[in-house]
C-alpha cells in the first residue's frame, strides 16, 4: 500500500511538472524581427551564441518583475556569448513599448511581434515565456512564468 502511494505521487508530480524540451530538441525556428532601434535581428545570424528569447508584454506583472534579473545576468554574461532578445507581444503603439524599454533601462534588443514569431515557437499561451537556445541553435529549455535571476543564471551559465 505504501509503495502504491509513492507510485501515485510520482505519477502526479510527473503530470504536473511543466513540460520542457529535452536537451537538443528541437532546432529553433529562424525568424527576422525589426528591433525598436531599427536594426533587424535574424535568428540564424546569432548562431554561436547562447540565445534567450523572452516573450513578454508591457502590461504583464511577472514580465516586469523578471526584467531586473534578466538585466543582471545579461550584463554579467553578454561578453561571454549570451544574447537576450525581448519579443514584445503588445498590440498597442510601438511608442509605448519604446517608453517601457527606456523606463526599465533594457539594454538588450527588443522587438514587437505581430504573432508570427510566437506561432513559429509553438504558439505562446502565457507570458512570460522564455526559450533558452544553445550555441548550436537548439532549444534546450522552455520556461513559462516568472524566472528569478538565479534561475535564469543557472539555465544559461553552463551553456556558455
Amino acid at each position: 500500500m505504501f509503495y502504491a502511494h509513492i507510485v501515485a505521487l510520482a505519477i502526479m508530480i510527473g503530470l504536473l511538472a511543466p513540460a520542457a524540451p529535452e536537451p537538443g530538441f528541437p532546432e529553433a525556428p529562424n525568424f527576422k524581427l525589426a528591433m525598436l532601434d531599427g536594426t533587424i535581428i535574424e535568428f540564424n545570424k546569432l548562431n554561436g551564441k547562447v540565445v534567450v528569447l523572452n516573450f513578454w508584454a508591457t502590461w504583464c506583472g511577472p514580465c516586469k518583475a523578471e526584467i531586473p534579473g534578466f538585466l543582471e545576468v545579461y550584463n554579467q554574461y553578454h561578453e561571454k556569448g549570451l544574447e537576450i532578445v525581448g519579443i514584445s507581444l503588445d498590440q498597442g503603439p510601438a511608442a509605448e513599448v519604446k517608453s517601457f524599454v527606456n523606463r526599465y533601462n533594457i539594454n538588450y534588443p527588443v522587438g514587437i511581434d505581430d504573432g508570427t514569431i510566437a506561432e513559429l515557437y509553438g504558439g505562446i499561451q502565457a507570458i512570460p515565456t522564455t526559450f533558452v537556445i544553445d550555441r548550436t541553435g537548439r532549444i534546450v529549455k522552455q520556461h513559462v512564468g516568472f524566472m528569478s535571476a538565479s534561475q535564469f543564471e543557472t539555465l544559461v551559465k553552463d551553456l556558455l
Side-chain angles (χ1 to χ4, degrees):
M1 184 69 158
F2 174 75
Y3 291 108
H5 289 285
I6 297 294
V7 170
L9 180 62
I11 290 171
M12 286 190 321
I13 290 171
L15 292 175
L16 297 175
E22 295 175 16
F25 166 87
E27 187 172 329
N30 189 31
F31 63 86
K32 286 183 183 178
L33 182 63
M35 298 293 107
L36 294 174
D37 66 3
T39 61
I40 304 286
I41 284 194
E42 184 173 354
F43 177 77
N44 283 350
K45 294 192 176 168
L46 298 175
N47 215 4
K49 295 184 178 194
V50 173
V51 179
V52 174
L53 301 181
N54 178 246
F55 291 86
W56 64 282
T58 58
W59 48 263
C60 166
C63 301
K64 292 176 190 179
E66 73 182 0
I67 289 172
F70 276 32
L71 290 170
E72 177 185 325
V73 175
Y74 181 72
N75 291 335
Q76 183 174 355
Y77 293 102
H78 179 67
E79 294 297 320
K80 295 178 182 173
L82 174 64
E83 189 62 68
I84 297 176
V85 178
I87 302 177
S88 169
L89 299 179
D90 284 276
Q91 296 178 356
E96 288 180 17
V97 178
K98 285 181 184 180
S99 174
F100 180 93
V101 166
N102 290 335
R103 189 170 351 127
Y104 280 80
N105 297 311
I106 297 173
N107 60 348
Y108 50 81
V110 173
I112 301 172
D113 184 23
D114 64 3
T116 305
I117 299 168
E119 199 59 39
L120 282 174
Y121 281 80
I124 304 302
Q125 303 300 314
I127 54 174
T129 293
T130 304
F131 291 87
V132 179
I133 301 158
D134 70 11
R135 291 180 185 269
T136 68
R138 298 214 172 264
I139 297 171
V140 296
K141 180 70 175 170
Q142 177 182 354
H143 181 89
V144 178
F146 170 83
M147 191 179 330
S148 70
S150 62
Q151 287 174 302
F152 184 46
E153 182 178 23
T154 298
L155 284 176
V156 299
K157 187 169 60 173
D158 291 338
L159 297 172
L160 296 166

